[in-house]
Amino acid sequence: MACFLAKRPASETVKQVRLREDGGCVDHELCMTRLLSRRALLSVAAAGIAAAACGSDTAAPGGPPLRERAAARGLVYGAAGDVELTTNQQLGTTFVREAGAFVPEVSLKWAALRPASDTFDFVASDALIAWAGARTILVRGHALAWHQALPNWFAGVANEQTAGGFLDAHIAAVAGRYSGRVGSWDVVNEPLDPFSDRDDGLREESPWLRLLGPAYIARAFVAAREADATAVLTLNEYGFENDPGAARKRADFLRLIGRLKDSGTPIQAAGLQAHLLQNNPRWAEFDATGYSKFLGELAAMGLQLFVTELDVNDTAFPQDARTRDAAVASVYRDYLGVALAEPAVKMVTTWGLSDRTSWIDRSYPRKDGAHARPLPLDAGYQRKAAWEAVATAFDRAPKR
Ligand code: 9MR
C-alpha cells in the first residue's frame, strides 16, 4: 500500500476525524468536514497503521503531496477522475499519492447511469467507488439533478406529470446505493443563469425547472436526505469570479440558499466550481473583494464551502509551455489566496489531476493546436508550476 497518509498512530487518526453528533467536528485539525463515512473511518485507521509502517516518505520533487499539504491545514485536496483510474496504473498510483478525495467526472451522471427509463447501469460507478473505498479516498458524488448529461430517452418521456417521479426514483436509487460511501453529493448542479429573464435567476433551459418549477431544487435535496442520512448535501454552481455574470450569480445564489434554508431544506454546503476564466480571459478582473465577501456571506449562513471543479482555462495564454504554466500558476495563486482565507472553505477539488485528460482540451481547443495545461500535473504526470502554486497556497492557508 502506498504511504499516503500522515504518519500518525491509527487511534489518533480516528480521533481526529470523529464528528460531533450535530455534524460539527470534534477536532478540527484533520477533520474532513463530515466527509468520512463509518466505513471510510475504518479504512483510514487501517491505512494509518500501514502508513506508520512505511517509514519515512521519499520526498517527491516539490515536497510532500497535495493531500498532505492540505491535511496539514485541516483541508482536503481532491480531484476529478473516472474509470481510467482503475485501469491506468500510473494514473491510479499518482492519484492516490496526491489526492485525498475524488469525484467521478462522468460516471455518476444520469447519462452514464440510465441506459433506459426503467433501468440503471452501475458497472462503472460501482467499480470507481470500490476503487476509492479500498484506498481511503473520500468520494464526492456528482450530480443528482443537472440540466445537462441527461440520457436521450429523457426528453421523450419526462413531462409535468412524470418528471417528479423520475427525479425522486433516480435519487433514491443512486444516493441510496452509495449511502455511507459517498461523503458529499452535488444534489443540484448549475441551477442559475445570470442572463435568465426570471427574477430568481433560475436557469430557464433546465428541464427540471420547466417541468417542476423552482420546487425541484428543494425536492431533490429532500430526496437525497431520505436516501442518504449522512452525506453532506451540496448546491454546486459556477461563474462567481468574474463579470459578466458573477455579481448577479452571487446575489441569486445567496437568495436561493436563503429560501432553501428558510423552508427547512437539508442543504449543508455550497460548491464553488471555480472553472477560472471559463468565459472571461481577463483574470485581472477577478473581483477578489466581492468574492471574499460572498464567501463570508455563505459561511454566515452556516454552510461549509467546497471548491469543487477548480481548473484554469489557458486558451488565451501564450503557446510556450513555460510561459503558459507560469500564467496558469499565477491564476491558481490569486484565486486560492482569496478562497482559502475563508475558514469555511474545507475542501479543494481540481477538475482532473493531470493535463492528460481535461475537458478544456475538448471544449476549448486552442487555435495553435497545443494541448491545454490547466491542471496541477502535466500530461506525463509530472508536477508543474500549477502544482507548486496549489501546494504553496495550502501551506499559507490559515489552519482549519
Ligand atoms: O468534464 C466533464 C466532461 O468530461 C463531460 O463530457 C461533461 C458532460 O458530462 O461534463 C463535464 O463536467 C462538467 C461538470 O459536470 C459540471 N460543471 C462543468 C464541467 C465542465 O463542463
Side-chain angles (χ1 to χ4, degrees):
M1 172 182 287
C3 295
F4 59 85
L5 278 176
K7 291 187 288 297
R8 295 167 189 280
S11 56
E12 189 190 346
T13 307
V14 171
K15 177 186 154 282
Q16 284 175 318
V17 295
R18 224 173 66 229
L19 306 170
R20 282 201 318 257
E21 282 183 357
D22 64 2
C25 300
V26 172
D27 215 324
H28 249 298
E29 189 197 351
L30 268 189
C31 173
M32 293 184 174
T33 64
R34 284 197 68 202
L35 282 167
L36 286 175
S37 66
R38 185 184 290 278
R39 186 166 169 276
L41 279 178
L42 292 175
S43 43
V44 166
I49 295 165
C54 283
S56 61
D57 289 335
T58 42
L66 295 179
R67 64 180 289 157
E68 285 181 22
R69 307 282 271 265
R73 318 311 289 171
L75 284 156
V76 177
Y77 168 71
D82 222 284
V83 278
E84 199 190 349
L85 285 170
T86 65
T87 56
N88 175 337
Q89 210 190 347
Q90 194 185 0
L91 172 62
T93 307
T94 309
F95 195 97
V96 167
R97 188 186 73 223
E98 295 286 352
F102 144 73
V103 52
E105 190 169 341
V106 293
S107 285
L108 284 175
K109 292 173 179 171
W110 277 69
L113 291 171
R114 305 298 304 273
S117 62
D118 54 356
T119 57
F120 290 81
D121 177 355
F122 290 115
V123 173
S125 53
D126 280 357
L128 272 172
I129 286 172
W131 179 86
R135 287 162 182 79
T136 71
I137 291 180
L138 309 177
V139 179
R140 294 201 75 251
H142 172 89
L144 295 171
W146 189 28
H147 63 284
Q148 287 184 32
L150 287 165
N152 291 335
W153 55 260
F154 186 82
V157 297
N159 57 42
E160 288 172 8
Q161 282 70 47
T162 60
F166 275 122
L167 184 65
D168 295 343
H170 179 86
I171 293 175
V174 178
R177 185 179 189 87
Y178 298 122
S179 173
R181 289 188 283 166
V182 167
S184 164
W185 269 107
D186 287 334
V187 179
V188 175
N189 191 36
E190 303 174 2
L192 296 171
D193 171 7
F195 308 106
S196 170
D197 284 335
R198 296 173 56 95
D199 288 346
D200 58 11
L202 290 178
R203 181 180 291 279
E204 290 155 300
E205 85 215 58
S206 166
W208 301 115
L209 181 74
R210 200 162 28 78
L211 300 174
L212 299 173
Y216 88 86
I217 298 175
R219 180 172 185 156
F221 275 90
V222 169
R225 179 50 77 235
E226 277 170 12
D228 183 334
T230 56
V232 178
L233 303 184
T234 308
L235 183 68
N236 198 41
E237 186 56 271
Y238 70 90
F240 296 125
E241 302 83 20
N242 293 76
D243 276 324
R248 180 169 180 202
K249 261 237 177 126
R250 289 179 203 151
D252 289 340
F253 193 68
L254 287 165
R255 274 196 293 269
L256 172 57
I257 288 173
R259 289 194 300 277
L260 292 172
K261 301 275 285 183
D262 287 349
S263 62
T265 305
I267 171 171
Q268 285 103 29
L272 315 158
Q273 291 190 8
H275 290 293
L276 304 180
L277 290 75
Q278 184 176 1
N279 296 316
N280 183 347
R282 301 162 300 184
W283 185 240
E285 293 178 11
F286 174 44
D287 173 14
T289 309
Y291 193 78
S292 160
K293 177 167 172 277
F294 170 62
L295 299 190
E297 287 166 336
L298 289 170
M301 297 173 104
L303 297 177
Q304 298 182 51
L305 308 184
F306 302 148
V307 175
T308 51
E309 303 185 17
L310 179 62
D311 57 16
V312 176
N313 188 323
D314 60 351
T315 318
F317 295 156
Q319 182 177 17
D320 173 67
R322 266 179 97 92
T323 315
R324 192 142 47 105
D325 287 354
V328 166
S330 112
V331 175
Y332 272 108
R333 211 173 293 119
D334 287 356
Y335 174 76
L336 287 173
V338 174
L340 295 179
E342 169 51 59
V345 173
K346 306 292 188 191
M347 176 161 57
V348 174
T349 303
T350 49
W351 204 238
L353 180 61
S354 146
D355 295 338
R356 215 177 82 79
T357 50
S358 165
W359 73 290
I360 290 174
D361 239 351
R362 299 187 292 278
S363 299
Y364 297 88
R366 289 176 64 91
K367 290 198 184 73
D368 58 22
H371 285 292
R373 302 178 67 85
L375 290 164
L377 304 184
D378 70 13
Y381 307 112
Q382 298 304 303
R383 295 167 171 181
K384 56 192 178 66
W387 182 94
E388 191 68 49
V390 176
T392 306
F394 287 147
D395 293 346
R396 292 186 179 152
K399 223 167 180 184
R400 271 66 183 156

